[in-house]
Amino acid sequence: MKSIVIEGTLRANSGKKLSNDLRKNEEVPCNINGVENFSFSAPVKSFKHLVYTPDFKTATIKLGDKEVNCVIQELQFHPVTDELVHIDFLELVPGKKLIVEIPLQLNGTPKGAKDGGKITQRIKKLRVKTTPEKLVERIQIDIENIELGKSIRVIDLKLDGMEILNPPQFPVVSVLIPRAIKEETPTAAAPVAAAAAAPAAGAAAPAAAAAKPAAKKK
């Protein structure tokens, strides 16, 4: 599990003015919630590989002689400029469970895709409860056995040391049947149905003729 090292400066004071001054100097105000609570700041560029990444990563926060292992708890961005303005971190305590969202990685080519199906990923991340020792950058899912028109649902996933908090029946990844394949079956069945209907219509004609009374001779 890769950890990004962040070297920050402890903040004894807080407040809106101080936070704005830090941002003007390209520093991001941050908090650490854990065994002890800390406020600190660090250069905005130091968060690049922690925040702007598709993988889940932990952070090692160095504050002078203190070193704290954390995960991101909450991010705040400016509503107009989309600049990073604040981060809340959660301290990782060995053996203590926490709730995080970890991205998924799909491995393999489904059987259904080889038959012309379309792969659709419904969930990009899983919300899990686990301990720091079980954290991973991505959760690996083997999708090779998904057949045409089938799905892997949350309930089908078995993860070592992780409790999945997403709704159990929600599909994670599906192999959809394209419209062209759907239309093949009714098109082929139509001539069979027509052929079956023809004898039935022919058989009805004599019956109707027999039911008609004979004309009387004058």
Side-chain angles (χ1 to χ4, degrees):
M1 182 76 194
K2 187 175 181 179
S3 185
I4 304 298
V5 177
I6 307 292
E7 293 190 5
T9 303
L10 278 168
R11 292 188 296 138
N13 300 317
S14 60
K16 188 173 182 180
K17 185 180 183 304
L18 178 59
S19 295
N20 288 336
D21 290 341
L22 288 169
R23 294 180 188 115
K24 288 177 182 178
N25 293 321
E26 297 186 341
E27 296 265 324
V28 179
C30 306
N31 294 326
I32 297 177
N33 302 312
V35 178
E36 293 184 67
N37 296 333
F38 301 100
S39 293
F40 73 97
S41 64
V44 64
K45 62 182 181 181
S46 63
F47 299 104
K48 179 180 178 181
H49 299 295
L50 178 66
V51 175
Y52 304 100
T53 174
D55 298 322
F56 179 86
K57 294 179 181 179
T58 61
T60 301
I61 311 295
K62 292 186 176 182
L63 305 169
D65 60 348
K66 296 181 182 294
E67 189 171 300
V68 188
N69 294 319
C70 305
V71 292
I72 293 175
Q73 188 174 36
E74 184 180 358
L75 293 169
Q76 294 180 23
F77 296 90
H78 192 281
V80 178
T81 65
D82 206 32
E83 293 178 355
L84 182 62
V85 296
H86 188 87
I87 304 178
D88 282 330
F89 287 94
L90 179 65
E91 182 180 359
L92 294 175
V93 179
K96 184 176 180 179
K97 291 187 176 182
L98 68 158
I99 296 174
V100 293
E101 289 190 340
I102 301 180
L104 301 178
Q105 179 170 320
L106 308 182
N107 298 322
T109 302
K111 293 178 181 178
K114 295 176 182 178
D115 293 333
K118 180 182 178 182
I119 304 171
T120 300
Q121 187 174 353
R122 308 294 184 91
I123 298 179
K124 302 295 183 181
K125 295 181 179 181
L126 280 181
R127 185 174 176 83
V128 299
K129 179 187 285 188
T130 187
T131 59
E133 295 81 6
K134 295 293 184 179
L135 292 174
V136 293
E137 291 188 9
R138 292 194 177 199
I139 294 172
Q140 309 290 326
I141 299 180
D142 183 0
I143 62 173
E144 287 192 348
N145 293 324
I146 306 179
E147 297 181 354
L148 197 62
K150 302 296 183 181
S151 301
I152 290 178
R153 300 181 183 276
V154 170
I155 197 172
D156 300 322
L157 302 177
K158 308 300 178 187
L159 305 179
D160 180 34
M162 293 186 181
E163 177 188 352
I164 305 175
L165 303 180
N166 302 73
Q169 295 301 325
F170 201 89
V172 177
V173 57
S174 305
V175 179
L176 304 180
I177 303 174
R179 181 179 297 177
I181 296 178
K182 285 182 179 180
E183 291 176 348
E184 284 181 4
T185 302
T187 302
V192 177
K212 186 177 180 180
K216 294 182 179 180
K217 293 183 179 179
K218 293 183 179 179

